[in-house]
Amino acid sequence: MLNEIFAANDAYKFLKVEDYFYRYKEWEKLEKVTSHSFDQDSERLSLKFTKADGRNCCLLIQFIQKDTFRVRFNPGYESGEQYPTENTRSVVMDSIEELRTVLKASENFQVSIQENNEQVELKTQGTDDHPSLKMVVKFNPFVIEVFGFSTETNDYFRVWQTANPGIYYTSNGAEDYAIIQAVNKPATAKYIGFGEQGGQGLTKNTAQLNYFNFDNMRYRQVYNQGPLDSREPLYHSDPFFFEFNGVPDQKSVNAIFIDNPGQILVDVGYMNSGRYMFGTRFGILDYFFFLNSEPRHVLDDFTSIVGRPRLKPRYILGYHQGCYGYDSRGSVEWAVGKYRDYQIPIDGLHVDVDIQHNYQTFTIDTNKFPDPASMFSNLRNRGIKCSTNITPVISSKQDPNYKTYWEGLTGQNNKSYFVLDQRVEPDNPDSRSYQNYGGGNEYRPNDPDKIQGFNSGQPYIGEVYYGNDAYGNELGTPGHYPDFGRGEVRKWWGTQYQYLFDMGLEMVWQDMTTPAIRETRGDMKGFPFQLYVTSDFISGVTPQLTPAIKVWNLYAYNLHKATYHGLNYLPGRDNKRNFIIGRGSFTGSHRFSGLWTGDNASDWDFLRMNISQVLSLGMCGLAICGQDIGGFETSSIDDGKWASPELLIRWTAAGAFLPWFRNHYVRKGRKEFQEPFMYLEYFQEKNLPIPQPQDLYAMVLPICKHYIELRYRLMQLFYDCLFENTLDGMPICRPMFLNDPQDQSLYNDKEYFLDNQFFVGKDLLISPVTKPQAETNGGKWDVYLPQGSNWYCFMNNQLPLASLVEGGTTIRDFDANLNLEGKHINFIVPIYVRSGAIIPMIELEQYVGELNQQGKPNPITLNIYPGQSGEYTMYLDDGVSRSSAVDKPEEQGGDPLAKSEYRQTQITHQYIAPKNREIKIERIHDKYTPKYETFFFVAILHDPSETQGSSGSLNKVILNNQEIQKLGNGDYNALNGASLNAWYYNPTVNISFIKVFDNLPSVTITLEYA
């Protein structure tokens, strides 16, 4: 065909995003609705069109909630009945009607319809008194318009409109179509989310993005521009994004989720500033549209459909260390011993494939790691929980003792558990030449005539390649890959963890998940594109053999799912929460695992984009996500043997406030060290001079240790956010607009600060320095404080509060310089607290639960900041049991062992008179009682402007209508040892501390001010 957009062979190639969109205006278009019908029972609108070849095609629109609808289109479908009634694996319920029934039980809604020859108008209304959403579908030209409803004007306003034309499509091989949805882009709108993508900015208003899971070392293989280039396909795909400020004078946010396991491509105002486009290459264009007044409500709606993360163990919020190169029992015990000697808190140690016997997954080399049971037990006794690297390759070297290999080969009913080497169009010479990218160039690295087992029907032979060791030896193994689209294979995979967990493993590090395959064995460092794999992407439908490229992002999803369910049923792990930290998957995997964002490097660009990347992933519902602190690989700039001391300090200090907090690096002749304590010890051990600047090398240990310790003292705050995430999808770390949507400047002149600042929870504002001091006037850093609240600089209870700062203020040149003078270490990361905030803190531990492990209490201190009012919700449980989780149906994402064995405490405060302040602490849900913590503290932080008497700002403290004893000023030891409720004032930090015995379900504290 002369006007062929994509050649026949292009269907089985990876496409750059710019190549996909390049000729889209030449594609066929949906221009005129020829007929329509509306089914009231399913609230589904069917629209029919006539294609250029004279055949019909059908597009479906269905309402899922009062403010959520779903659009599906495949040019090959002539009627709505051809679309599946079952959901995809991304969605929590198996069928559309089951999903709608569950959501309607939460809030029922109705859809009304008005229609004529020119358009159809659909209106939704929930249980409240006003309409919710209006959709107008115009027939000629075909346009969809969506309107929100304003309760202030009692009228509708337009929030979203497809472009004209709106749908483009073109053939993509013999069976598929590439399909694009084009949408009008308001000039004021900001686009945020998109999951794990490159680029420093949180907003992506002029960007092109490529969702195609790819083992993209240093984020530079396709374009060679590095991590700030948003076009690079990365390890994970979450095609979900928000539009903010599209209607500046209205409270309105909308979002799109594109549900397709193949390659998805997005253009946000790059080719044309007046529109954004998203497209698929295979299967159905299937997307959900969400509308609400605030982003948190959209996130709640989204996660009610794709699910919310399961409750994870509390210890995963601690500090972790990983290294590709801890290659013996001695090196593992050395690392843990050093952390304990230096008293740097740590909870997790991640041992790479070094532990395996000849790269056999699920094994341990007992020559290098003798008596692994005692090793893991000893580490556990020191508070260390371990994972090891589990990749989906099963070594095929035919070791007679490798049980997993032989089981997988035999399979079930004489059908191997492995992916078999069966190819689509095997006679096409192009199917033998594997496409890859590196250094910005496409290349074909394999010999087409030397492919082992090509189309043989035997297990496909791939290979995992870990590079070379310090002596140039290749590391890795050829192997087979489980066919995870089959339920029996997933079940078998889950049982393979038994030996490792019997030895003492506590969590799983899921790596090479695409799966990552040596470039000479497959396309784009993964499966050959034309290799058949089993797809079960549609629930309730018999799994189908499908070319790998068409369901590219599904394999990793099923890998994580298999591991999660396997661990849940593993003997010996009864009622224990599981944790998987995975590298890349697809929407829905967040229900099962956390995410680390692949192989970064020790470059400042990675730190610069770390915050926006984590925030973007959080906006997609992920609870635990983050980069490797310090960088895994050597710098792409200088190939240095360790991360620069300044970079590690800044990255660790920033990481202390991000969800996944793991220092992780490679040795193997590439790096020497990255542990914070080694920046002096390495040179002292080798009797080498400390490099310049020596003061920075000397500062690494104390500054990193300080911020790791602060993380542990803030552990309750992080855990409360983790628990809340399982209820409403709100992330631990939040962009400023998520907590302060009323501050319109965040979408305008203060947009820059969205990239560098975030909240932990709703009131603790973090602004880490992400540039070298040479670029920041010696560590000077601007900080923006959102409008709508006033703010206090965080003093870590080591200095008195400074004066209140008005919201909307930009703090110019905050002194975050790296130095150890006086109390300055507390200000190396600028931190501010919202007035009226309640911030829980605990005593320092070397690992989560250390004091309880020793039979001692670790009481919580509720730090209450000055302000007219404030509130906080706290969750207490044992931190490890599945039965602690909120009990809800399993089909809605609940844990079948959940019994709601937790305590939910609501803390509020307000002034009830000019000199009287009331604090209420009430148990809202009470099915857990701490074993050791029989009391807690309340710290009343005082504004410097408050009137001072002999006892500071307070005259008396009344607890449940009874005045409690005041102890001597500054007498912390007396308060800690008090056997009754009491309080004292510390003039050094201008804080009043109250001790409260936790023996009542409701406590009211009244403060009488001087």
Side-chain angles (χ1 to χ4, degrees), residues 743 765 783-793 802-811 832-835 943:
D743 189 347
L765 181 65
V783 181
Y784 176 69
L785 306 176
Q787 294 178 17
S789 299
N790 295 319
W791 302 88
Y792 289 96
C793 185
S803 297
L804 189 73
V805 183
E806 179 185 20
T809 299
T810 299
I811 307 291
Y832 281 81
V833 183
R834 194 187 306 272
S835 65
D943 187 282

Side-chain angles (χ1 to χ4, degrees), residues 432-448:
R432 291 177 170 270
S433 179
Y434 296 146
Q435 178 189 22
N436 271 288
Y437 276 86
N441 299 304
E442 182 180 354
Y443 62 100
R444 304 278 169 160
N446 70 304
D447 184 338

Side-chain angles (χ1 to χ4, degrees), residues 21 50 93 109 122 159 269 415 559 578 688 804 833 867 959 1009:
F21 286 111
T50 301
M93 307 294 290
F109 71 94
L122 302 166
V159 297
K415 184 177 181 181
L559 166 61
N578 299 307
L688 295 171
L804 189 73
V833 183
L959 194 151
Y1009 281 77

Side-chain angles (χ1 to χ4, degrees), residues 294-345:
E294 292 188 1
R296 66 178 301 134
H297 300 314
V298 172
L299 191 53
D300 185 51
D301 289 342
F302 171 64
T303 55
S304 70
I305 289 173
V306 301
R308 299 178 182 118
R310 308 296 196 266
L311 188 59
K312 296 171 174 59
R314 184 175 172 118
Y315 65 76
I316 59 101
L317 292 167
Y319 178 71
H320 299 248
Q321 178 69 59
C323 174
Y324 179 31
Y326 288 166
D327 54 8
S328 66
R329 176 171 177 166
S331 60
V332 166
E333 293 175 334
W334 166 85
V336 172
K338 287 295 182 182
Y339 271 104
R340 291 291 178 246
D341 290 346
Y342 283 101
Q343 293 189 294
I344 304 170

Side-chain angles (χ1 to χ4, degrees), residues 431-475:
S431 68
R432 291 177 170 270
S433 179
Y434 296 146
Q435 178 189 22
N436 271 288
Y437 276 86
N441 299 304
E442 182 180 354
Y443 62 100
R444 304 278 169 160
N446 70 304
D447 184 338
D449 297 322
K450 295 182 179 180
I451 299 176
Q452 282 184 276
F454 182 86
N455 203 41
S456 64
Q458 298 301 307
Y460 160 75
I461 302 171
E463 183 178 353
V464 64
Y465 173 58
Y466 297 110
N468 295 356
D469 65 14
Y471 306 101
N473 301 308
E474 289 192 354
L475 306 174

Side-chain angles (χ1 to χ4, degrees), residues 555-570:
Y555 189 86
Y557 169 91
N558 275 326
L559 166 61
H560 289 87
K561 178 180 178 179
T563 296
Y564 175 81
H565 288 298
L567 298 182
N568 275 352
Y569 292 103
L570 211 60

Side-chain angles (χ1 to χ4, degrees), residues 24-25 27-29 164-170 178-180 182:
Y24 80 95
K25 289 186 179 181
W27 298 15
E28 289 193 61
K29 308 163 185 68
N164 179 20
I167 296 276
Y168 299 82
Y169 62 94
T170 191
I179 311 167
I180 291 171

Side-chain angles (χ1 to χ4, degrees), residues 587-624:
T587 301
S589 65
H590 67 289
R591 303 193 293 264
F592 313 121
S593 63
L595 176 77
W596 107 95
T597 58
D599 293 333
N600 62 355
S602 297
D603 292 316
W604 283 93
D605 279 352
F606 276 103
L607 173 56
R608 288 188 182 112
M609 58 104 58
N610 195 168
I611 292 169
S612 58
Q613 190 178 52
V614 166
L615 297 181
S616 295
L617 286 163
M619 292 298 287
C620 296
L622 275 84
I624 301 298

